[in-house]
Amino acid sequence: QAPIRFDFEDLLHLSASELEAVLREVDANVLVLALTGSSEELVDRIAERMPRRSAKEFRRRLRRFGPTRLSDVEMAQRAVTGVAVRRMGARRFGAMAIG
């Protein structure tokens, strides 16, 4: 069986409830690291799932995040996508794969 392909930006394609389920399981520090350099669309979609005060603090932390190794960002993104794949199940993602 081929591996499931699911890239970090594919979080955009999850339903609101699926995304919320993933976010509940991901550490906030890992999420901020994973979103370093991500699309504004993805950042907005994730921030929309948070209470207003939390979203404001989240965006502030993201803006102030300092220089970061790409390997650390990629590791954080893999952690988040791993949660998504585990929570949603292989059938949910069809031919997509973890990347």
Side-chain angles (χ1 to χ4, degrees):
Q1 184 177 7
I4 301 166
R5 177 143 188 89
F6 186 82
D7 294 315
F8 188 70
E9 289 284 326
D10 289 333
L11 291 172
L12 283 168
H13 305 296
L14 298 180
S15 70
S17 62
E18 290 169 335
L19 184 57
E20 287 169 6
V22 171
L23 296 178
R24 279 193 300 271
E25 199 170 322
V26 174
D27 179 85
N29 294 320
V30 172
L31 184 61
V32 169
L33 180 58
L35 284 165
T36 301
S38 292
S39 70
E40 194 63 33
E41 183 180 11
L42 181 56
V43 171
D44 288 346
R45 182 114 196 282
I46 288 173
E48 288 169 358
R49 311 269 71 82
M50 300 175 178
R52 185 173 299 229
R53 182 175 290 165
S54 298
K56 186 176 181 179
E57 173 64 19
F58 169 75
R59 287 180 184 279
R60 188 177 65 71
R61 287 182 61 202
L62 197 53
R63 280 193 305 272
R64 291 185 177 174
F65 213 73
T68 308
R69 293 187 315 219
L70 181 58
S71 61
D72 291 341
V73 173
E74 290 170 341
M75 186 170 60
Q77 289 179 346
R78 281 192 302 274
V80 175
T81 56
V83 169
V85 169
R86 189 175 71 253
R87 289 205 49 97
M88 302 308 120
R91 287 178 302 191
R92 167 67 172 84
F93 297 116
M96 297 182 196
I98 297 176

